[in-house]
């Protein structure tokens, strides 16, 4: 089922055109390249995106996806529009769309490699290359649900894009998340102990928390899954094969521990 685009944009062959004459390529892999000017340099590179796709295909993170979908469907009408900011490969967006049969989704990410997967993650999802620290290429009040799962945040745009009755769903790790891997691979990026306080300071002017779910469980890991789990995180930018080899045997299980909160706009 093809996605419809905002009235300001018109589809023409492999381009989107706006009334001002700007054009945006639709890549052969199915995502829309909306970025112009200076390109964002963050986001998954090819190796990170491949590791993410392999690991998420094991459904080790399925309980997190179910929690996100549950929080989204609690308030989303049947014809909801869902925007996934920092969507990666589209795993969580697809999980929400599966639970809301009439909904459509849009994933935004800077990673071209991840967007190739996101563009085909669900038949009712579209994907676009965008720097999420810029104002989003969306009209105000167009979404019923905005997702931010393990992704950077843009509080001003998070508040502008949803309807007054919409929800922002934010998923972030606790300090216990992946503790076994962090203990075995010291070079992994640590979790800031002030992360929760910073989140609340950033969102409190615009949002109030409606409900928070803690998702925590122990998951078995093969060595390849452990390598992929490290390789899909920001830690991959700071680690080499030597670091992983020096770590010795990797753990055969890991603690998954996250908080998922649905916020309502103030």
């Amino acid at each position: 089922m093809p996605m419809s685009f905002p009235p300001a944009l018109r589809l023409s062959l492999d381009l989107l055109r706006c009334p001002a004459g700007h054009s945006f390529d639709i890549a052969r892999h199915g995502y829309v390249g909306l970025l112009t000017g200076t390109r964002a340099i963050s986001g998954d590179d090819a190796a990170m995106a491949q590791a993410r796709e392999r690991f998420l295909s094991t459904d080790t993170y399925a309980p997190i996806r179910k929690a996100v979908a549950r929080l989204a469907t609690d308030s989303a009408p049947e014809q909801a529009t869902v925007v996934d900011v920092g969507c990666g490969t589209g795993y969580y967006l697809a999980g929400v769309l599966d639970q809301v049969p009439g909904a459509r989704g849009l994933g935004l990410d800077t990673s071209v490699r991840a967007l190739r997967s996101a563009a085909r993650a669900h038949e009712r999802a579209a994907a676009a290359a965008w720097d999420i620290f810029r104002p989003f290429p969306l009209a105000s009040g167009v979404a019923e649900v905005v997702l931010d799962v393990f992704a950077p945040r843009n509080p001003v745009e998070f508040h502008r894009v949803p309807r007054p009755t919409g929800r922002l769903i934010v998923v972030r790790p606790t300090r216990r998340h992946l503790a076994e891997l962090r203990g075995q691979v010291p070079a992994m990026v640590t979790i800031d102990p002030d992360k929760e306080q910073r989140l609340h300071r950033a969102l409190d002017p615009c949002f109030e928390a409606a409900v928070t779910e803690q998702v925590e469980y122990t998951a078995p890991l093969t060595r390849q899954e452990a390598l992929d789990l490290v390789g899909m995180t920001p830690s991959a930018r700071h680690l080499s094969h030597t670091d992983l080899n020096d770590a010795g045997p990797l753990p055969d299980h890991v603690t998954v521990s996250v908080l998922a909160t649905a916020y309502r706009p103030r």
Side-chain angles (χ1 to χ4, degrees), residues 188-201:
M188 283 185 69
V189 174
T190 59
I191 296 174
D192 183 353
D194 297 325
K195 190 178 186 71
E196 278 299 295
Q197 292 182 341
R198 290 191 293 105
L199 172 68
H200 292 309
R201 284 197 300 268

Side-chain angles (χ1 to χ4, degrees), residues 3 80-84 93 97 103-107 124-127:
M3 288 288 297
T81 295
V82 182
V83 177
D84 189 353
L93 178 59
L97 296 180
R104 60 179 185 169
L106 173 67
R124 285 181 276 114

Side-chain angles (χ1 to χ4, degrees), residues 29 33 35 57 60 62-64 67 74-75 86 107 118 137-138 159 175 204 217 219 228 239 242 249-250:
H29 297 286
L35 280 171
S57 71
T60 302
I64 301 176
D74 281 348
S75 59
L138 298 167
H159 189 258
R175 295 187 70 182
D204 190 63
Y217 55 95
D228 285 340
L239 285 166
T242 301
L250 295 174

